Amino acid sequence: MTGSSGTRPAAFAVWALSRALLLLWVSRVIVPPGLDVTSDVSVIYHGWYDVLRSGTYPQSDVTWQYPPVAALAILSPALLPFLDYATAFYVLAFLCDALVMGLLLRASSGAGRRQAGVWVWVAGVPLLGTTAYARYDVMVTAVAVAALLAGLRRPRVLGALAAFGALLKVWPALLLAGTARGRQTRLAWATAAGVAAGLLVLCAAAAPGSLAFLGFQRDRGTEVESLGALYFHVARQFGWEGRVELHYGSLEFLGPHVGLVSTLALGLSLAAFGWLLVWRLRARAFGPSTPADAAFTAVLLFTTTSRVISPQYMLWLVGLAAVCLVLRESRMGWPAVLVVVATGVTQLEFPIGFVHVVTSDATGVALMFLRNGLLVAASVLAAVRLWRDTVRAPEAEPGVREAGAAAALSRGGPADTPASVR
């Protein structure tokens, strides 16, 4: 690819400098603006670590809302016993970041590939600030990126990693949404089902309370950064008699109409699932970028409609957007740009301006409308482009698209298919 010889070293240099800054921030060598977000690791994660080492899941802690394999992420600092828990966690987060960077650099070379995805990851992670390393989501994102890139040639690996990721934090199950019909879907989905079942049995046998997270997740309400929370941010300006409290591990609105808004949010998520199902049934043109495009779109839809949009969720979208933009055939460029901008706005609202969000003042309301508006725009645009590229794509002779995809996989890049099937 023209210009790649200079672009790759530049991307690596920017990545190294920005990640050094992140490590200095989370280690508190340099104190970043806003709230200190590292207490989740040093206090909450460390507390779970002690419980897990005792031989049980934190089943009495309502803030434990993660699938059973998440225990591996919480226990992972034990791999570096010469460091304290928090420092070891940050080092492992950095290594997972480095793994994603390496995977994207490798995937960006060859026919039909491009460097844009590398830059999405380079820029997107530091735009989230200290939250990027102070949560275990970078570890989950590394699994998801590896799954999608491996799935270009090995559907079984995609299925296995998607299942493992889903039992880390649920959302990687959506990586399977865009597998091509036929053999690839059968291999990926069957492998995912088998791996998931095996892991669940192992976790249940290893320690009690492995499924306790289901009840805690079910009872969550409307978090102050979610799309539905915009109603209450505005209603507060007109005397709404509610409040913000720490509830199930996050700051949520409590008071009149919260139950209704939470139910409507669940309805939106169900509508998103319905749209995804209809898309899956009607899609006909599956190209090399379709699995990544579909995964990105699906996670965007479910993130945007969720009752909770925690800042670290943006890391999932940045990772999936990066994979899409490594593939030249993908048309997710503008949705990816919107996600990167939304990630920068997310750091402005948390941790820098979170007090404004919690109090629903003019600054907080503006930040939430801007961030969530960008997510809505990215979701709609991604869905429209995915639909047009796969459902409304001009009819091609049977097998042409699939043959092109197979040819692309054999040489490591998208096929030079005729414009009529693009």
Side-chain angles (χ1 to χ4, degrees):
M1 178 175 162
T2 303
S4 63
S5 59
T7 301
R8 291 161 70 88
F12 182 80
V14 175
W15 175 85
L17 288 172
S18 61
R19 276 36 174 199
L21 180 60
L22 278 181
L23 285 172
L24 290 173
W25 278 359
V26 293
S27 301
R28 308 297 288 177
V29 174
I30 299 176
V31 180
L35 301 174
D36 178 12
V37 304
T38 61
S39 61
D40 271 32
V41 175
S42 59
V43 178
I44 298 176
Y45 284 14
H46 199 178
W48 290 339
Y49 173 84
D50 291 335
V51 174
L52 289 165
R53 290 191 67 186
S54 72
T56 182
Y57 283 88
Q59 53 188 327
S60 61
D61 185 349
V62 296
T63 63
W64 175 259
Q65 299 167 8
Y66 308 110
V69 175
L72 295 180
I74 303 303
L75 291 169
S76 62
L79 296 171
L80 304 175
F82 47 88
L83 297 174
D84 65 81
Y85 182 88
T87 301
F89 186 91
Y90 302 142
V91 170
L92 292 171
F94 165 77
L95 292 176
C96 288
D97 182 355
L99 173 62
V100 174
M101 183 64 176
L103 290 171
L104 291 171
L105 282 171
R106 181 179 180 183
S108 66
S109 62
R113 305 297 175 87
R114 55 184 175 180
Q115 305 291 318
V118 175
W119 283 105
V120 167
W121 184 253
V122 169
V125 174
L127 281 176
L128 193 59
T130 49
T131 305
Y133 281 4
R135 306 289 188 273
Y136 81 89
D137 295 79
V138 67
M139 302 175 182
V140 187
T141 303
V143 173
V145 169
L148 284 175
L149 292 176
L152 292 172
R153 296 186 181 183
R154 301 175 181 87
R156 285 193 179 94
V157 177
L158 167 61
L161 290 177
F164 181 75
L167 292 180
L168 273 172
K169 208 163 189 182
V170 181
W171 67 266
L174 296 171
L175 301 179
L176 300 173
T179 53
R181 285 197 181 90
R183 182 174 180 272
Q184 287 192 23
T185 289
R186 289 194 299 272
L187 290 176
W189 291 21
T191 301
V195 170
L199 287 173
L200 283 172
V201 170
L202 285 175
C203 291
S210 60
L211 299 180
F213 77 99
L214 292 173
F216 302 150
Q217 188 64 244
R218 179 196 61 213
D219 295 332
R220 298 193 76 169
T222 298
E223 187 254 350
V224 295
E225 298 164 278
S226 65
L227 184 63
L230 295 179
Y231 169 81
F232 299 108
H233 284 300
V234 173
R236 271 180 143 184
Q237 315 306 314
F238 300 93
W240 177 71
E241 298 178 354
R243 62 197 185 279
V244 173
E245 288 187 6
L246 186 64
H247 191 243
Y248 284 92
S250 64
L251 287 171
E252 297 181 358
F253 281 112
L254 299 176
H257 314 305
V258 171
L260 174 60
V261 171
S262 297
T263 300
L264 290 174
L266 287 173
L268 279 177
S269 294
L270 287 174
F273 178 79
W275 180 89
L276 194 63
L277 181 60
V278 171
W279 168 80
R280 176 75 195 181
L281 294 173
R282 295 191 60 183
R284 292 293 179 269
F286 287 82
S289 71
T290 302
D293 291 347
F296 176 56
T297 301
V299 175
L300 249 177
L301 289 170
F302 282 97
T303 299
T304 302
T305 60
S306 174
R307 293 171 296 170
V308 178
I309 306 181
S310 295
Q312 61 268 24
Y313 294 5
M314 300 304 300
L315 204 58
W316 316 343
L317 301 175
V318 168
L320 298 181
V323 175
C324 290
L325 266 61
V326 159
L327 305 171
R328 182 173 293 276
E329 187 182 75
S330 174
R331 296 184 63 249
M332 292 294 159
W334 276 111
V337 169
L338 292 174
V339 162
V340 171
V341 175
T343 302
V345 177
T346 298
Q347 184 180 182
L348 293 179
E349 61 92 357
F350 183 91
I352 295 175
F354 198 53
V355 65
H356 299 290
V357 174
V358 172
T359 58
S360 300
D361 66 16
T363 300
V365 173
L367 286 172
M368 293 320 309
F369 267 94
L370 178 57
R371 198 284 299 274
N372 290 344
L374 288 166
L375 287 180
V376 170
S379 299
V380 172
L381 186 55
V384 168
R385 290 192 170 188
L386 180 65
W387 186 275
R388 286 178 176 173
D389 289 348
T390 57
V391 177
R392 293 186 178 179
E395 292 294 330
E397 295 180 9
V400 169
R401 182 82 173 201
E402 290 75 8
L409 298 183
S410 68
R411 66 172 185 266
D416 292 327
T417 51
S420 62
V421 296
R422 285 269 174 122

